[in-house]
Amino acid sequence: MSDYYNAFEISPVPTPGPDAVPPEPFHGIYGMPAFVTIPTSDLAASVDFWVRGLGFFELFSSPGAIVHLRRWAFQDVLLVPETGVPAPRLPEQAPAISFSFACVLSEVGSVAEACRALRPDSVDGPRDTFWNTRDVTVITPENARIVFTAAKPYDPASQEARNLESIGITAPDVGGDAQGEQPRAL
């Protein structure tokens, strides 16, 4: 018996790969297991950036009070008005905290391009990481650091696999099993 529960079947994140297709935006209602609340001094401008730049949609809003944005299931953001929020700073003065959203490899470049079109100095990357993802970091109009992160296909012979192994993370069985279970990516 395993000490870990295989939760891949409840995650909206597809198996990594160059042909991975992002799930459709999720319009259903559920108890949110996690969400981020971001105060903004300009609710309309923030909603516009999150929708046009980061690919979220407006699930619902209460005018002047809150806008609930979502992408995939379990990727929820609440934008709320805040008086006295400082004007957005330059990326080199970004906040110390960040929030990451899963995406697929094909979305990383388009998110970077869309955000650069809206706020040219707001994007860092895309860049590949030590732990086998490709990330793009965006500083939003509210001065939130948002990271879109896409898992790359797992290659047991790669430097990233050696990096992970060096810190004690070994690959799961990526070949599937006798019962026809699909292979998984790390």
Side-chain angles (χ1 to χ4, degrees):
M1 179 161 194
S2 173
D3 291 337
Y4 300 100
Y5 172 75
N6 176 1
F8 280 88
E9 63 268 10
I10 65 170
S11 174
V13 180
T15 300
D19 298 329
V21 176
E24 291 294 318
F26 188 81
H27 292 266
I29 300 296
Y30 52 75
M32 296 185 297
F35 60 92
V36 61
T37 301
I38 299 178
T40 176
S41 59
D42 187 339
L43 197 54
S46 293
V47 169
D48 182 62
F49 186 84
W50 282 80
V51 169
R52 291 184 26 213
L54 296 172
F56 282 73
F57 68 91
E58 189 174 318
L59 184 64
F60 69 84
S61 67
S62 177
I66 189 170
V67 177
H68 184 154
L69 302 173
R70 180 177 294 152
R71 262 181 94 239
W72 302 351
F74 313 122
Q75 293 185 338
D76 294 276
V77 173
L78 306 180
L79 295 176
V80 296
E82 178 72 43
T83 56
V85 172
R89 295 178 278 178
L90 298 174
E92 63 268 15
Q93 298 170 316
I97 232 166
S98 66
F99 198 86
S100 298
F101 292 96
C103 66
V104 297
L105 285 170
S106 64
E107 293 178 302
V108 173
S110 60
V111 165
E113 288 175 23
C115 291
R116 278 192 180 106
L118 294 167
R119 296 185 73 220
D121 295 329
S122 68
V123 179
D124 179 33
R127 67 184 58 214
D128 291 343
T129 69
F130 178 89
W131 48 88
N132 204 41
T133 64
R134 181 161 298 141
D135 295 0
V136 63
T137 301
V138 177
I139 304 301
T140 69
E142 315 79 37
N143 199 36
R145 180 185 291 123
I146 303 299
V147 179
F148 271 65
T149 182
K152 297 185 323 188
Y154 182 75
D155 175 1
S158 70
Q159 180 61 50
E160 289 87 352
R162 290 188 293 280
N163 294 342
L164 292 169
E165 191 171 326
S166 75
I167 59 173
I169 299 173
T170 57
D173 176 17
V174 293
D177 66 12
Q179 287 80 33
E181 184 177 321
Q182 293 296 313
R184 291 187 206 100
L186 183 63

